[in-house]
Amino acid sequence: MRGPAVPRPCWRVSAGLGAWGHDGGVARVVLFHSVLGLRAVELNAAERLRRAGHEVVVPDLFGGGTASTLEGGFRLLEQVGWAVVVERARRALAGVPGEAVLAGMSMGTGVVSALLPERPATGGVLFLHAAADLPEPVRSGLRVQLHAADPDEFAPAERVAALREVVRRSGLELEVFRYPGVGHFYTDPELPDHDVAAAELTWRRVLDFLEQDAGRARSKAGCEER
């Protein structure tokens, strides 16, 4: 007679770029940068998530190029080309578990939107500083979280409404957090947009989102913490 099932331990594996654990006890995240390029704001955000126990990769989609203004960023994007940006992101995802959370900051939300159809098992979507489209079809139950200033030209009411409609039709889970009176890129301490309180609240909510993702992974794997 078989005895009761014993949960297996979720062994925590330390992983660097391109190396991923397989224990089911941690959220895996790929964070795509804004049109300003890969800068301290993304690197520091990734480090914050790692300190909370998550595995994070932050690809450089501009090949080292950065800008300090939106105008300069869009010029840089034009030089690199959108197709190149998306292909670099696609290559960065090679070897990343299919259930990884896809996160984007401003322009990076568009990268998430472009690649989501190729990754149907995606564990969750984080839109930061912009409301991107969700391509259909998308699997039922996908969790999506949006953080944006209010108002924000990159997250206008009509685009958020369209996002809610896709969520309704497809059976997704959506949380929308708006931050009144702050600038577009309010999480970036190097920009005039920065708002300490809104940024801190955003990252607390993101960490809660990722902890739920990790909890679901643990449950699916049938394992217990060690």
Side-chain angles (χ1 to χ4, degrees):
M1 183 174 180
R2 184 175 298 176
V6 178
R8 63 181 178 83
C10 287
W11 295 108
R12 180 70 178 87
V13 178
S14 177
L17 288 175
W20 299 84
H22 300 279
D23 54 24
V26 62
R28 281 86 172 190
V29 184
V30 183
L31 175 62
F32 297 113
H33 62 71
S34 80
V35 77
L36 302 182
L38 180 57
R39 299 160 55 252
V41 61
E42 289 92 5
L43 297 174
N44 290 339
E47 188 55 35
R48 179 171 186 158
L49 302 184
R50 291 185 187 113
R51 287 198 302 270
H54 305 298
E55 297 176 351
V56 189
V57 164
V58 193
D60 184 351
L61 307 180
F62 282 177
T66 62
S68 58
T69 65
L70 284 176
E71 293 78 10
F74 282 114
R75 285 195 298 270
L76 187 56
L77 174 59
E78 185 176 1
Q79 292 168 11
V80 175
W82 181 248
V84 172
V85 166
V86 173
E87 182 56 31
R88 286 174 175 171
R90 182 178 289 113
R91 290 201 302 266
L93 288 172
V96 174
E99 69 276 10
V101 171
L102 300 183
M105 286 186 161
S106 199
M107 180 202 78
T109 65
V111 177
V112 172
S113 179
L115 294 178
L116 188 59
E118 302 173 16
R119 298 180 65 83
T122 294
V125 168
L126 284 166
F127 288 152
L128 297 150
H129 307 298
D133 296 329
L134 278 176
E136 296 182 89
V138 60
R139 72 169 176 82
S140 176
L142 178 69
R143 298 171 60 240
V144 182
Q145 195 175 78
L146 166 65
H147 299 267
D150 187 15
D152 189 328
E153 64 177 310
F154 297 103
E158 60 271 19
R159 193 178 299 173
V160 176
L163 183 64
R164 291 186 188 277
E165 179 58 24
V166 172
V167 166
R168 185 193 65 78
R169 286 197 303 266
S170 302
L172 312 185
E173 299 178 29
L174 173 67
E175 292 180 295
V176 175
F177 297 108
R178 304 304 299 257
Y179 302 84
V182 302
H184 165 65
F185 210 162
Y186 63 85
T187 61
D188 190 343
E190 297 181 357
L191 297 179
D193 289 348
H194 186 229
D195 186 282
V196 175
E200 182 62 28
L201 182 55
T202 294
W203 291 119
R204 287 206 305 269
R205 287 168 166 167
V206 167
L207 286 170
D208 287 345
F209 180 92
L210 295 178
E211 180 54 36
Q212 291 176 44
D213 181 77
R216 293 186 183 198
R218 285 192 292 268
S219 177
K220 183 177 179 180
C223 59
E224 63 181 7
E225 293 286 359
R226 277 290 176 89

